[in-house]
Amino acid sequence: MASASSGPSAVGVSSVDPGVSSGASSSASGIKRPMAPEVPCSSGMPIKKIGHRSVDSSGETTYKKTTSSALKGAIQLGITHTVGSLSTKPERDVLMQDFYVVESIFFPSEGSNLTPAHHYNDFRFKTYAPVAFRYFRELFGIRPDDYLYSLCSEPLIELCSSGASGSLFYVSSDDEFIIKTVQHKEAEFLQKLLPGYYMNLNQNPRTLLPKFYGLYCVQAGGKNIRIVVMNNLLPRSVKMHIKYDLKGSTYKRRASQKEREKPLPTFKDLDFLQDISDGLFLDADMYNALCKTLQRDCLVLQSFKIMDYSLLMSIHNIDYAQREPLGNEAQHSVDTRRPAPQKALYSTAMESIQGEARRGGTMETDDYMGGIPARNSKGERLLLYIGIIDILQSYRFIKKLEHSWKALVHDGDTVSVHRPGFYAERFQRFMCNTVFKKIPCVHFGRPDVLPQTPPLEKMSEVSTIPDPYLSPVVGETLQMLTTSSTLLEKLEVEDSFTH
């Protein structure tokens, strides 16, 4: 989604899990990587001050000198009030002035006629464009009572993810929503985007762009803490084995040594090129739907003069997970005691790229767990969780200066900061030429009979494959066909972009 600018670790970054060995293990890419689940942040971890985020003497996270517990409480009180008051207003079409409305309510600790008493310091809660965001939530099938239940029925869970900007991240207890603190410029930019965002969602609700459900501000201690509510890209109930933040840039796009020491590092473009040089293989329908979605989303971002965004991709390796010890895997199973939450429409990676499966029925099934089925070159079954993040960066004057300076010391076309049009084209080409590839079309017979390599001209034809993961021999076949199909794939994708 999803998110505003946050550096490489936009959502779902895990903290240290004492139950996981620090040794390396085989990962989704078939290489040696550390393994760790996505877990909540534990207090008392030695975290340095990053931006406005720091840790006080008791070990609790603070943001702009407001403790995390007080901020979580203020957020839940504020959202409860604003959603409740909005329910008294009749539903109507969104008007242009609705995008610029800001509602404000004061929460004294002793309570008032409109607000309950609470144990925190006095604060003011602001809601931006409440009617417009109500429309966005309705578009994604989120009813007001479900929104309130997800965010306010149980304490929010803090994630150990500060990113480069020092943002705070919270996830709702049912895994539906991410709450992220954003900087003043980012919140201001999102407000300006809202009319265009509204038009885009009306035309195309299926998108890999972040899905914004609310923009708020908590005023406490003389400070403004702006927060945005978004879709959660990385469900905590699914164990992620490796994670990448990809921009299509190669200049300094390698995870730092400090990042690599984390239980679940966020790797970058050069790491991907080294680790998964053959790319990730999707069936023809999935590949075409994904690249079409990326192309459409990049056009939207380009029209808003947005650049420096990333594709966040987290990979769950099904085959590896089945080989892991049961005891280790048990802690990642879904909590069956919790009632199943209502899924927001178009919120999973699978739903975001395509609505109906080519094989009948909806694509969203328990087998997929919301992920996009894929294979690596070894033939291992994967689930991909992806989304475009860091979209609240416009190509302002400071970014132009940054690109000009970097271009002096390095090839300007390889740096991440670039003019929006070039950035969008490079991003698409990298994703659809290098990262994602179409599985060569091979009709598999009996699993005990080795498949024959078809003529090269046959491999460009789209065939219907009944199993999204194909057969057990796909790994060997991919190894044989990857070399001969690489040139064909490049020609196909380049031709699609040309037209």
Side-chain angles (χ1 to χ4, degrees):
M1 159 313 48
S3 73
S5 176
S6 61
S9 307
V11 288
V13 178
S14 71
S15 65
V16 174
D17 182 0
V20 178
S21 170
S22 60
S25 305
S26 295
S27 72
S29 62
I31 60 173
K32 299 291 184 181
R33 286 296 184 212
M35 307 286 292
E38 304 288 339
V39 296
C41 181
S42 70
S43 62
M45 287 182 60
I47 307 174
K48 291 183 178 180
K49 178 177 173 61
I50 305 177
H52 297 295
R53 183 179 187 267
S54 61
V55 177
D56 63 17
S57 57
S58 67
E60 182 171 20
T61 304
T62 61
Y63 189 85
K64 293 187 176 182
K65 299 183 178 180
T66 296
T67 64
S68 181
S69 58
L71 180 57
K72 288 190 288 186
I75 290 171
Q76 291 185 317
L77 285 170
I79 289 179
T80 298
H81 178 273
T82 188
V83 173
S85 63
L86 192 61
S87 64
T88 63
K89 299 178 181 178
E91 293 189 12
R92 57 172 174 78
D93 292 337
V94 178
L95 307 175
M96 182 57 70
Q97 57 261 36
D98 290 327
F99 297 111
Y100 308 105
V101 172
V102 181
E103 294 183 351
S104 179
I105 181 73
F106 183 61
F107 283 81
S109 57
E110 66 274 13
S112 68
N113 292 334
L114 298 175
T115 63
H118 55 83
H119 302 295
Y120 315 111
N121 293 329
D122 297 353
F123 68 92
R124 181 172 293 277
F125 192 83
K126 291 185 175 181
T127 303
Y128 296 89
V131 172
F133 278 108
R134 176 176 68 177
Y135 173 82
F136 296 150
R137 294 193 294 268
E138 289 174 351
L139 185 62
F140 293 117
I142 304 172
R143 299 195 302 262
D145 53 342
D146 292 318
Y147 188 64
L148 277 180
Y149 183 83
S150 292
L151 291 173
C152 303
S153 64
E154 295 184 35
L156 299 171
I157 301 167
E158 182 182 345
L159 298 175
C160 268
S161 169
S162 62
S165 63
S167 299
L168 273 183
F169 289 90
Y170 301 114
V171 62
S172 60
S173 59
D174 61 3
D175 243 12
E176 281 286 315
F177 304 108
I178 284 283
I179 297 177
K180 175 182 181 283
T181 60
V182 294
Q183 300 174 26
H184 170 64
K185 287 291 184 183
E186 295 170 330
E188 189 178 63
F189 187 53
L190 176 56
Q191 285 179 273
K192 292 179 180 177
L193 282 182
L194 286 181
Y197 184 73
Y198 168 84
M199 290 179 62
N200 180 55
L201 287 183
N202 266 328
Q203 296 171 4
N204 177 47
R206 299 189 188 279
T207 173
L208 289 169
L209 296 177
K211 296 170 179 67
F212 299 111
Y213 302 133
L215 177 63
Y216 310 100
C217 178
V218 176
Q219 289 183 322
K223 302 285 186 180
N224 289 314
I225 303 175
R226 297 168 181 84
I227 62 166
V228 63
V229 180
M230 304 171 293
N231 59 310
N232 180 21
L233 288 179
L234 310 181
R236 289 176 297 122
S237 58
V238 180
K239 182 174 183 179
M240 302 302 173
H241 294 106
I242 195 165
K243 183 168 56 174
Y244 290 95
D245 177 285
L246 304 172
K247 292 179 182 288
S249 163
T250 55
Y251 178 62
K252 292 188 176 180
R253 292 293 297 166
R254 192 181 297 279
S256 65
Q257 184 58 42
K258 182 179 179 181
E259 179 69 25
R260 292 169 185 272
E261 292 171 358
K262 295 180 179 180
L264 184 63
T266 301
F267 295 102
K268 299 185 179 180
D269 302 67
L270 289 175
D271 302 307
F272 184 91
L273 292 173
Q274 174 184 313
D275 303 341
I276 317 181
S277 56
D278 292 329
L280 299 169
F281 295 88
L282 286 70
D283 75 28
D285 288 343
M286 209 76 70
Y287 173 87
N288 292 334
L290 174 56
C291 289
K292 181 180 178 181
T293 303
L294 287 171
Q295 186 178 27
R296 187 171 51 228
D297 288 343
C298 284
L299 283 173
V300 172
L301 295 172
Q302 182 180 340
S303 70
F304 289 138
K305 299 190 184 320
I306 295 173
M307 47 87 237
D308 212 24
Y309 45 87
S310 304
L311 184 81
L312 181 68
M313 177 172 65
S314 204
I315 302 174
H316 171 77
N317 188 317
I318 296 175
D319 291 335
Y320 186 89
Q322 290 178 349
R323 296 193 299 266
E324 287 182 302
L326 265 180
N328 193 31
E329 220 22 50
Q331 57 185 313
H332 309 295
S333 59
V334 179
D335 184 359
T336 55
R337 295 171 300 172
R338 188 175 61 221
Q342 180 190 3
K343 301 283 186 183
L345 297 176
Y346 322 122
S347 61
T348 67
M350 181 76 84
E351 289 177 315
S352 295
I353 66 168
Q354 196 175 23
E356 295 295 323
R358 293 289 185 265
R359 303 171 191 89
T362 61
M363 283 186 139
E364 182 61 29
T365 68
D366 293 337
D367 293 337
Y368 297 144
M369 296 183 289
I372 298 172
R375 291 268 189 172
N376 58 20
S377 60
K378 295 173 62 177
E380 293 175 322
R381 298 171 299 163
L382 313 174
L383 288 176
L384 310 181
Y385 295 83
I386 62 175
I388 296 176
I389 62 172
D390 296 347
I391 75 163
L392 298 183
Q393 293 289 328
S394 65
Y395 194 54
R396 296 186 294 267
F397 178 69
I398 189 66
K399 289 294 182 182
K400 294 179 183 179
L401 285 181
E402 183 181 347
H403 174 257
S404 300
W405 176 79
K406 287 182 177 179
L408 290 175
V409 296
H410 202 80
D411 181 2
D413 288 348
T414 64
V415 300
S416 63
V417 180
H418 217 292
R419 62 186 183 277
F422 180 91
Y423 192 96
E425 182 180 357
R426 184 184 63 185
F427 183 87
Q428 291 175 66
R429 288 185 179 275
F430 183 73
M431 300 309 161
C432 293
N433 283 355
T434 305
V435 177
F436 306 111
K437 296 183 179 180
K438 192 184 301 183
I439 290 178
C441 295
V442 181
H443 292 277
F444 295 98
R446 291 164 45 200
D448 58 334
V449 178
L450 288 176
Q452 295 181 346
T453 303
L456 183 61
E457 61 270 15
K458 292 292 184 182
M459 286 161 47
S460 62
E461 299 175 5
V462 178
S463 63
T464 301
I465 303 171
D467 180 2
Y469 297 119
L470 305 183
S471 77
V473 295
V474 71
E476 291 80 356
T477 305
L478 286 175
Q479 291 283 18
M480 292 188 293
L481 298 180
T482 296
T483 302
S484 60
S485 64
T486 299
L487 178 60
L488 178 63
E489 276 301 313
K490 288 183 178 179
L491 291 175
E492 285 181 345
V493 178
E494 288 175 3
D495 182 67
S496 68
F497 286 136
T498 302
H499 293 85

